[in-house]
């Protein structure tokens, strides 16, 4: 953490308040690095300062722009610090400034690309999404992530959530695109099943569609019969079809 | 006996290569390379080296572990459980320190967070409670504020039966499992807490038969373990209170078929999802799941399950390809060791030892675990007895 970061945190309110804050921070650090613990981590000093400062603001329930800056610094040090992410959501909800939400999305984009398997960042996106109502952006973002790693569980899960939450239709081509790239991609087969046959779809009970999907799976199996994904997909749509036909 | 791995490799050849196929072949070749090493000794668990690695980690972790600063109870549990499986433990002085540390992780409103001053989280609560169980003393069990824990668990419950991991956090089957596992050992299961849980679990089965993290997600080893273990806990509760099986709509046979096919014949270890790579941690998630499924089918089906997996192959994967020089286990050849994989590789090895076909005599077997919580059976029994009695008295 450079000198400029500390200046940016606007801690120079008044001397008394600053001294009080420093005392609280030191007390927290002393508690945090007590030798009586398992597997003590060899902390860097700025890591300790920033995380302690964050914990103090958290304890004080200070929902301010200053708290946003401190928690962001803590997040850069440790993107998996879920307390920070929770805190930011609380601050954003209480400040209710539209510009802050957009800024937050940009921060998320940067951190998400660097840490594509981090639970907290992906969940934060869902929170932002509900305020910003930007499904197209989210679909674009998940596509970028999936082109990097076609099986990123969080990315597929997020895309499903966006599609569900905003009732996005016409997603059939997306799974097809990824299956063309790799017909062994189980995540893409799963997404295909979701987009065609989940409860929100009008095609949820379509016998016809299941028949054509069975043909599609069979076609993919011609490329290689040793592809479990296509077999499970075929098995599922055929069994679905049996149940639907029986109930008619 | 072990199959001829080279001929398995040749059998696995497919037409129309894609990314999935290419990376899988890469891993298979790395396995064959180890097989062909002339100085490869016998498969042997390097107990002393692993203990050394764990004891060292208990004393100090390098700066790179700052990335796990919000998971301090996990570090504690991974080390304690791994040592426990090796029939070792920290010193008395270290145990006192560990106890105080876990105390500091407890939130004043119930539950445990990733460290002092952090928000309480279901996963770190699970890890802390398990770590305290492994310590095994009344002082350790007394650390847990049972009433506050229960109230906190209730605040995290969603109307669809799932649990949020923190007040403002994500909901998925991990949350549900951690909440029920903790409630199970602490004697905090109530009708209010378990309401709708089995309904949520029933919605998690994917097209491939495995369970996903949220409804309609892809079948995944970690989530399948969480979902089914949670169902087993619910079943015990239902048996006690209603004398019948927990109502659910999972296709158990399909789940069994999915998980048994996650063991890869060449590598011997388990993959987490269909068409993905082997990873030593799935030795427990998938192996443990198979253990639980075996109990279930023995309870509810007339015939014995035919879905036994190869303990020998799993042991081969872990001992021959995943042990690191200087101690610790890794995900797969080429990856570095870490405490998480060490814990789950050893847990998986314990499961493997309960699934040997008996043709080769083993001089040494790891202690048996309680597959619902992943702590040694004795630790679970002792802790559960103490905590459940305590709850009744309060």
């Amino acid at each position: 953490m450079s000198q400029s970061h500390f200046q940016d945190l606007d801690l120079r309110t008044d001397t008394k308040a600053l001294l009080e804050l420093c005392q609280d921070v030191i007390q927290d650090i002393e508690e945090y690095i007590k030798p009586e613990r398992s597997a003590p981590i060899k902390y860097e000093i700025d890591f300790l300062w920033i995380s302690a400062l964050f914990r103090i603001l958290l304890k004080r329930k200070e929902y301010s722009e200053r708290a946003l800056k401190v928690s962001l610094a803590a997040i850069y040090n440790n993107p998996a610090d879920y307390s920070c992410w929770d805190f930011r959501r609380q601050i954003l909800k209480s400040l209710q400034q539209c510009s802050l939400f957009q800024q937050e999305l940009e921060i998320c984009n940067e951190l998400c690309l660097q840490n594509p398997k981090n639970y907290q960042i992906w969940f934060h996106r869902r929170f932002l999404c509900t305020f910003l109502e930007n499904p197209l952006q989210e679909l674009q973002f998940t596509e970028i992530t999936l082109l990097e790693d076609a099986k990123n569980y969080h990315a597929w899960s997020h895309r499903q959530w966006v599609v569900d939450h905003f009732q996005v239709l016409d997603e059939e081509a997306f799974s097809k695109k990824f299956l063309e790239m790799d017909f062994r991609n189980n995540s893409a087969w799963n997404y295909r099943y979701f987009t065609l046959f989940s409860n929100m779809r009008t095609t949820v009970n379509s016998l016809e569609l299941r028949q054509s999907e069975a043909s599609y799976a069979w076609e993919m199996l011609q490329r290689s019969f040793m592809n479990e994904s296509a077999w499970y997909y075929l098995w599922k749509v055929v069994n679905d079809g049996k149940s639907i036909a029986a109930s008619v | 006996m072990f199959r001829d791995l080279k001929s398995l490799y040749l059998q696995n050849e497919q037409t129309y290569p894609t990314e999935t196929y290419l990376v899988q072949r890469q891993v298979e070749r790395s396995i064959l390379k180890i097989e062909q090493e002339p100085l490869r000794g016998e498969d042997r668990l390097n107990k002393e080296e692993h203990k050394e690695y764990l004891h060292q980690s208990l004393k100090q972790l390098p700066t790179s572990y700052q990335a796990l600063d919000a998971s301090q109870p996990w570090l504690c549990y991974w080390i304690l459980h791994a040592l426990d499986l090796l029939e070792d433990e920290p010193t008395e002085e270290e145990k006192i320190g560990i106890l105080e540390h876990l105390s500091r992780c407890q939130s004043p409103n119930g539950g445990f967070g990733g460290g002092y001053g952090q928000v309480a989280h279901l996963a770190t609560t699970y890890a802390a409670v398990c770590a305290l169980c492994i310590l095994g003393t009344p002082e350790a069990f007394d650390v847990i504020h049972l009433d506050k824990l229960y109230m906190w668990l209730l605040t995290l419950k969603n109307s669809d039966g799932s649990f949020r991991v923190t007040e403002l956090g994500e909901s998925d089957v991990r949350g549900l499992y951690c909440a029920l596992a903790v409630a199970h050992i602490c004697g905090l299961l109530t009708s209010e807490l378990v309401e709708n849980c089995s309904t949520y679990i029933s919605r998690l089965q994917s097209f491939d038969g495995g369970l996903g993290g949220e409804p309609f997600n892809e079948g995944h080893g970690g989530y399948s373990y969480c979902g089914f273990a949670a169902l087993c806990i619910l079943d015990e509760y239902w048996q006690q209170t209603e004398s019948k099986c927990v109502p659910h709509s999972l296709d158990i046979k399909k789940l069994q078929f999915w998980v048994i096919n996650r063991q890869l014949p060449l590598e011997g270890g388990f993959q987490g999802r269909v068409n993905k790579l082997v990873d030593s941690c799935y030795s427990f998630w998938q192996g443990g799941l198979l253990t639980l499924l075996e109990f279930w089918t023995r309870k509810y089906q007339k015939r014995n399950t035919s879905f036994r997996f190869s303990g020998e192959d799993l042991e081969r994967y872990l001992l021959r390809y995943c042990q690191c020089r200087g101690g610790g286990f890794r995900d797969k050849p080429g990856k570095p060791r870490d405490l998480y994989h060490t814990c789950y590789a050893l847990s998986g090895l314990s499961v493997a030892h309960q699934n040997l076909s008996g043709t080769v005599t083993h001089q040494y077997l790891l202690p048996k675990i309680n597959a619902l919580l992943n702590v040694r059976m004795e630790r679970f029994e002792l802790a559960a007895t103490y905590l459940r009695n305590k709850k009744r008295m309060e």
Side-chain angles (χ1 to χ4, degrees), chain A residues 139-155:
Chain A
L139 293 176
Q140 267 168 17
F141 186 81
T142 56
E143 185 164 358
I144 292 168
T145 318
L146 289 170
L147 289 169
E148 277 293 316
D149 171 6
K151 298 185 183 183
N152 183 325
Y153 202 89
H154 300 282

Side-chain angles (χ1 to χ4, degrees), chain A residues 32 43 82 86 153 160 182, chain B residues 15 20 69 119 166 217-218 223:
Chain A
Y32 206 74
Y43 294 109
Y82 62 87
D86 276 18
Y153 202 89
Q160 282 182 325
D182 184 349
Chain B
T15 50
T20 298
D69 188 48
V119 169
T166 61
N217 282 4
E218 191 187 356
Y223 296 128

Side-chain angles (χ1 to χ4, degrees), chain A residues 82-191:
Chain A
Y82 62 87
S83 304
C84 281
W85 289 103
D86 276 18
F87 190 51
R88 289 182 83 75
R89 283 194 282 281
Q90 225 149 16
I91 299 171
L92 289 169
K93 274 207 292 202
S94 80
L95 294 182
Q96 286 281 341
Q97 272 171 256
C98 200
S99 60
L100 285 176
F101 280 96
Q102 195 51 51
Q103 224 170 25
E104 194 73 359
L105 189 64
E106 270 146 52
I107 294 167
C108 250
N109 287 342
E110 183 198 339
L111 283 167
C112 205
L113 291 170
Q114 289 167 3
N115 305 277
K117 297 193 179 178
N118 173 310
Y119 277 97
Q120 291 77 38
I121 308 175
W122 283 103
F123 182 70
H124 205 65
R125 294 197 80 93
R126 289 196 196 187
F127 167 81
L128 295 176
C129 217
T130 14
F131 277 94
L132 292 170
E133 307 208 315
N134 57 337
L136 283 175
Q137 249 186 313
E138 291 306 298
L139 293 176
Q140 267 168 17
F141 186 81
T142 56
E143 185 164 358
I144 292 168
T145 318
L146 289 170
L147 289 169
E148 277 293 316
D149 171 6
K151 298 185 183 183
N152 183 325
Y153 202 89
H154 300 282
W156 285 108
S157 181
H158 184 67
R159 197 180 177 93
Q160 282 182 325
W161 180 86
V162 170
V163 159
D164 206 33
H165 189 83
F166 294 98
Q167 303 276 296
V168 175
L169 306 167
D170 299 328
E171 277 288 288
E172 185 265 337
F174 191 81
S175 59
K176 206 159 227 170
K177 172 178 172 175
F178 277 82
L179 287 172
E180 276 311 301
M181 290 193 296
D182 184 349
F183 62 91
R184 298 176 176 94
N185 185 336
N186 198 60
S187 313
W189 283 104
N190 182 70
Y191 190 70

Side-chain angles (χ1 to χ4, degrees), chain A residues 27-29 31-45 47-48 51 54-55 58-59 77-83 86-87 89-90 93 117 119-120 123 126 149 151-154 156-157 160-161 180-191 193-194 197-199 222-230 232-236 239, chain B residues 11-21 57-72 75-76 79 94 96-98 100-102 104 112-121 124 166-172 174 206-209 211-220 223 254 257-258 261-262 271 273-276 339:
Chain A
Q27 206 170 24
D28 179 286
I29 294 179
E31 200 56 43
Y32 206 74
I33 60 169
K34 266 191 174 154
E36 299 84 21
R37 69 165 276 179
S38 62
I41 298 166
K42 198 163 178 223
Y43 294 109
E44 289 166 324
I45 189 63
F47 183 95
L48 282 176
S51 67
F54 158 69
R55 281 189 296 277
L58 175 68
K59 202 169 17 172
N77 276 344
N78 177 15
D81 193 339
Y82 62 87
S83 304
D86 276 18
F87 190 51
R89 283 194 282 281
Q90 225 149 16
K93 274 207 292 202
K117 297 193 179 178
Y119 277 97
Q120 291 77 38
F123 182 70
R126 289 196 196 187
D149 171 6
K151 298 185 183 183
N152 183 325
Y153 202 89
H154 300 282
W156 285 108
S157 181
Q160 282 182 325
W161 180 86
E180 276 311 301
M181 290 193 296
D182 184 349
F183 62 91
R184 298 176 176 94
N185 185 336
N186 198 60
S187 313
W189 283 104
N190 182 70
Y191 190 70
Y193 189 83
F194 164 74
F197 303 120
S198 68
N199 316 56
Q222 306 308 303
R223 296 190 187 180
S224 171
F225 275 99
M226 293 166 74
N227 177 10
E228 264 191 275
S229 300
Y232 286 127
Y233 192 81
L234 178 62
W235 186 7
K236 182 83 173 114
N239 273 340
Chain B
Q11 272 175 47
N12 283 347
E13 186 170 335
Q14 294 180 39
T15 50
Y16 220 120
T18 60
E19 174 76 11
T20 298
Y21 178 73
S57 302
L58 204 51
K59 293 203 184 75
Q60 175 94 96
L61 290 174
T63 304
S64 55
Y65 271 88
Q66 279 177 174
L68 284 169
D69 188 48
S71 299
Q72 293 166 37
L75 294 166
C76 191
I79 296 171
E94 282 174 333
I96 296 171
I98 292 169
E100 290 186 16
H101 179 207
L102 292 170
R104 289 198 297 279
F112 294 76
Y116 173 74
Q118 295 182 35
V119 169
H121 189 294
T124 46
T166 61
E167 197 185 319
L168 298 171
E170 69 271 19
S171 302
D172 59 43
R174 289 173 306 148
S206 162
F207 82 102
D208 57 18
L211 306 185
E214 292 174 274
F216 285 105
N217 282 4
E218 191 187 356
H220 181 291
Y223 296 128
K254 199 157 183 215
F257 187 85
W258 173 84
N261 281 296
R262 303 290 57 77
Q271 66 190 168
R273 307 181 239 169
V274 176
N275 278 333
K276 284 214 82 183
L339 293 167

Side-chain angles (χ1 to χ4, degrees), chain B residues 9 46 48-49 59 71 109 221 264 266 278 322 336 350 356 373:
Chain B
Y9 179 78
N46 303 327
E48 295 311 309
E49 289 182 45
K59 293 203 184 75
S71 299
N109 297 322
L264 299 163
L266 191 152
V278 71
C322 296
S350 168
L356 301 170
L373 247 83

